[in-house]
Amino acid sequence: MMQRFLSRYRPRYIRSLIYMLQACEYSIRDYLAWYGRTNDFGRVERRKTLVKTPKVYVLYAGAYVIVIAVVAFAYYAMAFAGLSGRLVVLACTVLLAPYVLAYLILIPLIVVRILQIPVEYVLIAQAGRKLAGHKGLKIAIAGSFGKTSMREILKTVLAEGKKVAAPPFSYNTPLAIARFVGELRGDEEVLIFELGEYYPGDVVRLCKLIGPHIGIITGVNEAHLEKFGTLEKTARTIFELAEYLGKKPVYINGESEIARRNAKTALKNHILYSREGVEDCRIENPKSDLRGTSFGLVLDDVQSRPKSGLLGTHSLGPLAVSAHIASRLGFNRKQIDAGIAKTKAFSHRLEPKEDKAGVITLDDSYNGNPDGVYAIIDFLESLQGHRR
């Protein structure tokens, strides 16, 4: 209890509040929920670090204005109070200032949001027009988990024979995608987008912006349960991608029970994939260890045995989807195998690291869902000759 109270007086307290806002995608509801359950404000900035953006600098300025205003108000009140009154004002200021700051910092955020509305509208509208005229194949990825990994695997494999572009990091909101689109040259042959789903309607809104030709649903689980309330609402939002695409192909993760259940009511051209493959692209005799994952790839009755730098057999499904799409785009087997060989562990996603003593750490710190936890436990269980 004392730690929770004292951590509000750290020199980096303001930075911690702004980091929490940024990490919550500036959602006031999510920020307040996080603030209410935080026991140590010195430990909130651990998974990522604060990214210095113009909005962050505005929040810093607003926070310091609030601090100065609180101090000035306290000084003014003390000037007209007796000794006991001054002590009361001083004690209240010291005790309440961190709490007041935590809530009043939302004022500059709201002001920024109001000012951003017309700017964002123009940027998103421009991006929509540019994408509508873009001749590249557009692939959209939705799901509770694995979107970024799927995007990077697909990007790596398809880049072996096409000019491919995709937003960096977890840029999956309309504004972030619009900024990415503004940097496109127009000669890209494949565009890959990750769709962020936070509330019902988010996925279809992004689909209308992007206009995808192919969809991929990586799975449905409890990762966004706090926002959606029920898994049924989560699934309905994610499957907005399938509804938007209609008769166009949608790859659905058959290993996700909820996704598979929803796929039963989908159109016939929706395609289930798993670590065993997808349609005529089969995965056989996979082996995965700390050096990577090798497997037999049977595609159009031609077999090869590529090796990926990715760890764990859970990556076989996305690799199969990438090979299947590459094949439909006219890639030959040499290009597909070469693309798979270039896939490797992504930062903080089952990423192996070895120290000077030879101890290997698997950094999976960006994994925030149950299916990902099961995947790394399965991988650890499969390792032989290692203490784990």
Side-chain angles (χ1 to χ4, degrees):
M1 191 68 179
M2 184 59 67
Q3 176 65 33
R4 181 176 185 177
F5 175 75
L6 293 177
S7 67
R8 289 177 167 84
Y9 295 90
R10 296 173 62 255
R12 291 165 63 93
Y13 177 66
I14 291 176
R15 178 187 172 99
S16 296
L17 295 179
I18 296 174
Y19 168 81
M20 292 166 70
L21 279 167
Q22 187 179 75
C24 289
E25 302 282 350
Y26 299 103
S27 166
I28 293 176
R29 183 177 68 178
D30 294 346
Y31 162 77
L32 292 176
W34 190 359
Y35 183 83
R37 65 175 181 264
T38 299
N39 293 317
D40 184 357
F41 288 89
R43 297 175 62 86
V44 296
E45 192 178 348
R46 295 177 67 84
R47 185 178 178 189
K48 299 181 181 179
T49 58
L50 181 67
V51 179
K52 300 293 182 63
T53 65
K55 184 181 291 186
V56 165
Y57 287 116
V58 170
L59 291 175
Y60 262 118
Y64 284 112
V65 167
I66 293 169
V67 170
I68 293 171
V70 170
V71 172
F73 176 80
Y75 180 81
Y76 181 80
M78 291 172 65
F80 293 92
L83 179 59
S84 59
R86 292 177 181 178
L87 292 175
V88 171
V89 171
L90 181 61
C92 288
T93 302
V94 172
L95 291 174
L96 298 179
Y99 299 91
V100 171
L101 176 60
Y103 291 93
L104 292 187
I105 198 173
L106 297 176
I107 294 176
L109 174 63
I110 293 171
V111 172
V112 169
R113 276 188 173 179
I114 293 173
L115 296 175
Q116 276 186 317
I117 291 174
V119 177
E120 291 183 2
Y121 178 82
V122 171
L123 288 175
I124 293 171
Q126 289 176 341
R129 288 193 294 270
K130 187 172 182 178
L131 284 171
H134 199 290
K135 296 181 180 180
L137 176 73
K138 305 175 188 74
I139 302 174
I141 305 169
S144 299
F145 58 91
K147 294 189 295 291
T148 302
S149 295
M150 175 66 82
R151 183 193 71 199
E152 292 303 306
I153 292 171
L154 193 58
K155 180 181 176 182
T156 302
V157 174
L158 296 186
E160 198 62 26
K162 298 286 185 180
K163 184 172 182 179
V164 184
F169 310 112
S170 294
Y171 285 12
N172 56 21
T173 63
L175 183 59
I177 289 174
R179 287 171 175 162
F180 160 74
V181 171
E183 299 174 355
L184 294 176
R185 296 179 59 180
D187 60 346
E188 298 84 4
E189 297 172 281
V190 180
L191 300 176
I192 306 171
F193 296 94
E194 177 183 334
L195 309 184
E197 65 283 328
Y198 302 100
Y199 302 101
D202 281 353
V203 170
V204 71
R205 192 176 301 115
L206 287 167
C207 286
K208 290 177 180 178
L209 169 64
I210 295 166
H213 304 105
I214 296 175
I216 302 173
I217 293 176
T218 59
V220 181
N221 68 11
E222 302 86 352
H224 300 127
L225 195 60
E226 183 178 359
K227 289 181 170 62
F228 287 104
T230 67
L231 286 171
E232 288 72 21
K233 288 183 179 179
T234 304
R236 281 200 300 271
T237 301
I238 290 171
F239 269 79
E240 289 172 359
L241 173 59
E243 293 174 7
Y244 176 87
L245 285 169
K247 295 183 179 180
K248 295 178 182 177
V250 180
Y251 293 82
I252 300 172
N253 183 3
E255 295 184 12
S256 169
E257 180 182 351
I258 301 174
R260 187 174 64 251
R261 189 164 64 240
N262 280 267
K264 288 181 179 180
T265 61
L267 298 175
K268 291 182 179 179
N269 60 321
H270 292 173
I271 306 162
L272 289 178
Y273 72 88
S274 70
R275 66 189 70 194
E276 295 179 355
V278 48
E279 289 194 330
D280 58 346
C281 177
R282 302 196 312 275
I283 302 293
E284 297 180 347
N285 303 316
K287 293 182 180 180
S288 187
D289 56 29
L290 293 170
R291 294 169 296 180
T293 302
S294 62
F295 55 94
L297 177 63
V298 181
L299 184 58
D300 295 328
D301 295 324
V302 179
Q303 185 171 13
S304 62
R305 191 166 184 84
K307 183 174 181 178
S308 167
L310 296 167
L311 307 187
T313 57
H314 64 284
S315 63
L316 293 171
L319 287 168
V321 170
S322 300
H324 193 265
I325 292 176
S327 176
R328 298 303 174 266
L329 292 178
F331 284 48
N332 59 45
R333 290 305 300 274
K334 184 177 180 180
Q335 290 175 310
I336 294 173
D337 289 354
I340 291 173
K342 291 180 180 178
T343 57
K344 59 182 180 179
F346 314 116
S347 179
H348 308 301
R349 291 176 174 88
L350 204 53
E351 178 187 14
K353 299 178 180 179
E354 186 172 357
D355 63 17
K356 295 180 180 179
V359 176
I360 297 172
T361 301
L362 298 178
D363 180 358
D364 203 38
S365 54
Y366 277 12
N367 170 21
N369 72 93
D371 287 78
V373 173
Y374 295 143
I376 191 171
I377 290 174
D378 288 342
F379 176 67
L380 288 172
E381 185 180 19
S382 71
L383 294 178
Q384 302 297 322
H386 295 275
R387 293 177 61 193
R388 293 154 295 177

